[in-house]
Amino acid sequence: MAIYGYRCPHCSDIDAAFPIGSAPADMPCPDCGATSVRVFSPPMLTRTPAAVSAQLRRAERSASEPEVVTSLPRRRAVGAVATHPATRRLPRP
């Protein structure tokens, strides 16, 4: 079922559910009985957060054009303790 929008000339906008492709061009207003015409409304598209969108674009781009690495990643020194606050209470080796 799809939700279609109708505009009554006397009342407010109306939403009605019909099977896809079977919505009439006009329908009676449930409040006043006047003829309500169908209006176009964009589909409900959700926006993804900018960080998620950037990561998705990066992942798509790396499928065909892998990123070039110019240096080795930094490694922690042996015996270095993580600085995350949650790890401060862990027992030390």
Side-chain angles (χ1 to χ4, degrees):
M1 295 291 253
I3 297 176
Y4 295 93
Y6 291 88
R7 180 163 294 138
C8 175
H10 306 292
C11 303
S12 61
D13 292 345
I14 304 161
D15 290 332
F18 293 102
I20 294 177
S22 66
D26 55 9
M27 66 178 272
C29 176
D31 295 330
C32 65
T35 302
S36 303
V37 294
R38 188 169 142 194
V39 294
F40 173 78
S41 61
M44 296 294 209
L45 302 175
T46 58
R47 289 194 56 169
T48 56
V52 173
S53 177
Q55 289 296 327
L56 290 172
R57 283 194 304 272
R58 182 178 179 194
E60 289 174 4
R61 191 172 52 244
S62 69
S64 60
E65 303 170 12
E67 293 181 5
V68 177
V69 178
T70 58
S71 64
L72 293 174
R74 292 183 181 213
R75 291 187 171 216
R76 269 194 244 173
V78 177
V81 178
T83 58
H84 192 276
T87 61
R88 288 184 189 152
R89 294 178 292 195
L90 294 175
R92 303 286 180 240

